[in-house]
Amino acid sequence: MNMSERFETRSEIAHSIAGVKSQLAVQARVFTLAVFVSIAVLGFLYYQNMNLAEKYASLQAANIRLETQLQAAVASAAAIKVDTEQSRVDAQELKTLLETSMRPRPPNSASFPGWLGIRADGPKEAKALIDQYKTPVWIYATSPTE
């Protein structure tokens, strides 16, 4: 079986060449259209890529700023913690000093003349001491309850 035709005249050859030219012209138009579409798509993708790169750089800069601020906040919180702990220690020392200074000093023989330094554990014992001496007495109470 022979697939090729034999052309007998010039017009048959011209007609065949015209058909091939027509097919090549259609293929050239399709190829040109495909090139323009691919250039447009690649241009769009390049534009999108550039926008994404700018946005990424902006986000990176914002992230760096936030990390810097966060590190500064952590450092400030650590300094505040140290100051607070030192303040607690200072406050405890001050409280102890204040309690010590507010606590009455027990009297002694230099406090007033006639100091005896007798201890009574309750109001009954104190009354018994007062009754025993029959003279005015001074009473020093550390924590009166009645």
Side-chain angles (χ1 to χ4, degrees):
M1 188 179 236
N2 193 356
M3 299 279 293
S4 63
E5 291 182 35
R6 292 194 51 88
F7 297 108
E8 305 273 334
T9 62
R10 284 181 152 191
S11 68
E12 289 177 348
I13 293 173
H15 186 63
S16 292
I17 290 176
V20 170
K21 277 185 179 180
S22 171
Q23 287 296 320
L24 287 176
V26 168
Q27 289 178 359
R29 281 190 221 120
V30 169
F31 181 74
T32 303
L33 182 63
V35 167
F36 283 132
V37 167
S38 64
I39 288 174
V41 168
L42 288 175
F44 176 75
L45 291 175
Y46 178 78
Y47 175 75
Q48 290 296 323
N49 186 35
M50 293 309 290
N51 281 343
L52 286 175
E54 289 175 13
K55 288 178 184 177
Y56 179 75
S58 173
L59 289 173
Q60 283 289 82
N63 188 33
I64 290 170
R65 279 194 311 272
L66 288 175
E67 284 182 2
T68 303
Q69 290 173 351
L70 183 61
Q71 289 172 353
V74 167
S76 294
I80 289 171
K81 181 180 178 188
V82 168
D83 290 345
T84 303
E85 289 172 354
Q86 183 61 42
S87 296
R88 285 182 185 155
V89 169
D90 293 344
Q92 186 61 37
E93 290 175 4
L94 183 63
K95 181 182 176 186
T96 304
L97 288 173
L98 187 60
E99 286 174 350
T100 303
S101 68
M102 296 297 289
R103 191 177 312 132
R105 283 186 247 149
N108 57 31
S109 60
S111 299
F112 48 86
W115 166 259
L116 293 176
I118 300 172
R119 180 178 177 159
D121 289 330
K124 290 181 183 175
E125 292 88 4
K127 175 99 171 95
L129 287 172
I130 293 170
D131 291 342
Q132 178 183 354
Y133 287 102
K134 307 274 188 220
T135 59
V137 293
W138 291 83
I139 296 177
Y140 169 75
T142 56
S143 59
T145 56
E146 295 180 19

